[in-house]
Amino acid sequence: MSIHKDNATGKWRVVYRYTDWTGETHQSSKRGFPTKREALAWEREFIAKNDGNLEMTFESFYELYKNNLQNRLRENTWRTKSGIVEKKILPYFGSKRICDIKPIDVLHWQNIMIEFRDKNGMPYSPMYLKTIHNQLSAIFNHAVRFYGLPENPAAIAGNMGKEKVGEVLIWTKEEYRQFSAAIKDRPASFIVFEILYWCGLRLGELLALTPRDFDFEKNILVITKSYQRIGGKDIITLPKTDKSIRRVLLPDFLSEEIQQYLSGLKDVAEDKRIFPFTKSYLHHEMRRGCTAGGVKKIKIHGIRHSHISLLIDMGCNAVAIADRVGHESIDITYRYAHIFPSTQQEVVSKLDNMVTIYSDFVEK
């Protein structure tokens, strides 16, 4: 590498070589530095970044992290992650050398996040604070696993916020029927919410459905994709997780409703979306149905929780429920433990009964 001053402009230029992923060496340059000192600083940072040296700044390491992971994540997932990092993390850690960041630095940053208030005087929610911290910790974990950082200072500092805030509002079967009756005047809205409630789909999964996804001979709905609106474009991606790719059995009445709806559509190709709606439109329909039906307002995702609650109430086990909704069974067991029928008192009663039977056996 070399540094030169351009006599015509008075600016400094760094000429450098780098090796690409094929092993081929290239030469390039970086121009426009007002001073030699700034050119030297850029040169040092470039060398550290190119060598994976943790004396690089956090901002430079984030660029490596971005290059390593961006193509592995769904586009909307990366947009969420990068938005948090660029607005909440880089302004504080960006210029610090990643090897110099200590747990106490993370604590100071956490205090800034906790003390933040928006223009209305509102703080970040506990769940959002946890999400922000998780993004910082993920970057340090990457440095530990692949670049030799001795420890993750964010993990040592500990998390902030909480994973869960309050109880998710759901509908009972009776409440859903009231809502459903109130939106029957619009067949498309009616069938959308029928599928959401009786199948437990995520909204993105529903909006990606095409005629090809239905096998009406076997009453099976195949989930293989998800819809997102990103940057003003319709994007079809893989579902949220590998477990989300699944086959959902349809009850007979719902299968008949869907077939009737599809028969009323004109010239819909097998690979075209059958619900070409925006999420904002469905949120509007949700509010309309709640008001007209006289039921409490819940989030659209709450319909998925309502379906899971219905299955639990019907006596379905966690494994069967997880397979249907595209979750891990351990997640179902943990997240919905409070509504499974086996309460603590029932467990104790069964243990007492077991001990009684065992004692009778011993006495005999």
Side-chain angles (χ1 to χ4, degrees), residues 115-158:
E115 293 168 3
F116 171 83
R117 298 294 183 273
D118 65 16
K119 61 182 180 181
N120 297 316
M122 298 298 294
Y124 293 137
S125 71
M127 184 179 294
Y128 188 60
L129 287 173
K130 182 177 177 66
T131 299
I132 297 172
H133 178 90
N134 286 346
Q135 299 305 328
L136 176 64
S137 189
I139 295 173
F140 282 121
N141 276 337
H142 193 73
V144 170
R145 290 171 185 162
F146 300 106
Y147 291 88
L149 186 69
E151 58 189 13
N152 178 344
I156 296 173

Side-chain angles (χ1 to χ4, degrees), residues 169-171 286 290 296-303 306:
L169 291 178
I170 63 173
W171 281 331
M286 183 85 169
C290 289
K296 65 176 178 284
K297 292 181 173 63
I298 68 173
K299 295 180 179 180
I300 288 184
H301 196 68
I303 301 177
S306 300

Side-chain angles (χ1 to χ4, degrees), residues 148-352:
L149 186 69
E151 58 189 13
N152 178 344
I156 296 173
N159 215 320
M160 60 177 174
K162 298 178 181 178
E163 186 172 1
K164 294 183 180 179
V165 182
E167 187 176 346
V168 177
L169 291 178
I170 63 173
W171 281 331
T172 63
K173 185 169 62 177
E174 291 70 27
E175 286 175 311
Y176 172 69
R177 290 195 183 282
Q178 285 180 243
F179 169 86
S180 179
I183 60 168
K184 261 192 170 179
D185 58 325
R186 295 180 183 173
S189 297
F190 171 76
I191 199 65
V192 159
F193 288 105
E194 280 284 272
I195 295 174
L196 287 174
Y197 183 78
W198 297 109
C199 296
L201 269 58
R202 299 178 178 91
L203 184 54
E205 294 171 347
L206 175 125
L207 292 176
L209 292 178
T210 66
R212 186 175 291 162
D213 296 321
F214 295 91
D215 180 347
F216 292 114
E217 289 186 5
K218 298 179 180 178
N219 278 359
I220 290 175
L221 168 57
V222 181
I223 305 299
T224 60
K225 54 192 176 296
S226 182
Y227 165 86
Q228 303 290 332
R229 182 76 175 172
I230 301 174
K233 297 180 180 179
D234 293 336
I235 305 294
I236 300 297
T237 67
L238 291 173
K240 187 175 182 180
T241 66
D242 291 342
K243 184 76 173 178
S244 300
I245 299 174
R246 63 198 187 277
R247 296 158 67 87
V248 180
L249 290 176
L250 303 171
D252 289 338
F253 75 87
L254 181 59
S255 178
E256 292 172 4
E257 289 176 348
I258 297 170
Q259 290 181 69
Q260 183 178 357
Y261 172 75
L262 292 178
S263 68
L265 299 180
K266 296 181 179 179
D267 302 324
V268 178
E270 284 291 296
D271 60 348
K272 294 298 182 182
R273 292 170 55 221
I274 60 176
F275 301 121
F277 311 129
T278 63
K279 291 184 178 180
S280 61
Y281 170 77
L282 293 181
H283 284 296
H284 171 269
E285 287 296 272
M286 183 85 169
R287 291 190 295 270
R288 183 177 75 89
C290 289
T291 301
V295 297
K296 65 176 178 284
K297 292 181 173 63
I298 68 173
K299 295 180 179 180
I300 288 184
H301 196 68
I303 301 177
R304 177 173 163 85
H305 293 292
S306 300
H307 178 70
I308 294 172
S309 175
L310 175 67
L311 297 182
I312 292 172
D313 191 53
M314 291 166 55
C316 300
N317 62 56
V319 174
I321 296 172
D323 286 343
R324 183 169 180 81
V325 300
H327 256 308
E328 295 292 341
S329 58
I330 187 66
D331 294 335
I332 294 292
T333 303
Y334 174 74
R335 189 166 190 175
Y336 299 93
H338 62 290
I339 58 175
F340 271 95
S342 295
T343 62
Q344 286 285 349
Q345 186 57 52
E346 289 179 63
V347 171
V348 170
S349 297
K350 290 179 180 179
L351 289 174
D352 282 337

Side-chain angles (χ1 to χ4, degrees), residues 2 4 13-18 26-33 42:
S2 58
H4 307 281
R13 179 178 63 155
V14 179
V15 179
Y16 61 92
R17 289 184 175 85
Y18 66 95
H26 303 270
Q27 179 171 299
S28 188
S29 65
K30 176 75 172 178
R31 304 169 183 268
F33 296 101
W42 186 91

